[in-house]
Amino acid sequence: MDRFPNAADVDFHSPLDLTKAAAAVLDAEGRISGWGASAQRLLGHPPEDVLGRPAARLLAADPG
């Protein structure tokens, strides 16, 4: 008996599957040096708006 009869129809991916993950790469100073297409779709920022800028700008709201 198959416990998961529809498993062949489901697209399983690990949360760390970089082909699907919204990935950003940071340098040693916390600046964005890589920006994936999924990150752009998720957060709405094109690469030219974020590359070279501090990641903290995207991760935290300015309290002021």
Side-chain angles (χ1 to χ4, degrees):
M1 177 177 208
D2 189 358
R3 291 183 58 196
F4 305 102
N6 298 322
D9 299 330
V10 178
D11 190 14
F12 290 104
H13 291 283
S14 162
L16 299 177
D17 180 355
L18 293 181
T19 65
K20 302 289 182 187
V25 179
L26 306 181
D27 66 12
E29 285 81 36
R31 292 182 305 244
I32 300 169
S33 60
W35 191 248
S38 293
Q40 180 176 347
R41 285 191 300 277
L42 177 66
L43 299 174
H45 299 288
E48 58 270 13
D49 289 352
V50 297
L51 291 175
R53 299 209 167 96
R57 289 184 54 209
L58 296 175
L59 302 175
D62 182 14

